[in-house]
Amino acid sequence: LPGINDGFIGEGPDLGAFEYPARPGDVDGDGQVDAADARRLADYLAGNPAPLPGGAASADLDGDRSVTVVDLVTLLLRL
């Protein structure tokens, strides 16, 4: 169809409704960084089946590409 995607085909990533950068610390993906995020991250680190709706990138607060207790401590210090 003329006009649809003019100039955009293959020129960049699809930034649809669910593709957005993770907000550091927003582990539960609700748009806020709060105690609920710390609880979710603590559960995750304890091995409980707690998914990270905000994605692993939102929980990796020290930027070392892994989610560890250091990230939890960093998050707690930010609250």
Side-chain angles (χ1 to χ4, degrees), residues 6-66:
D6 282 350
F8 295 101
I9 297 174
E11 292 184 8
D14 178 8
L15 298 177
F18 297 104
E19 296 170 358
Y20 53 89
R23 180 175 178 202
D26 184 18
V27 178
D28 63 8
D30 69 353
Q32 300 177 33
V33 178
D34 54 22
D37 296 299
R39 281 191 302 270
R40 176 76 61 121
L41 183 52
D43 284 345
Y44 175 82
L45 291 170
N48 296 329
L52 302 176
S58 68
D60 180 21
L61 297 172
D62 64 358
D64 68 352
R65 300 184 62 131
S66 63

Side-chain angles (χ1 to χ4, degrees), residues 13 42 55 71:
D71 299 303

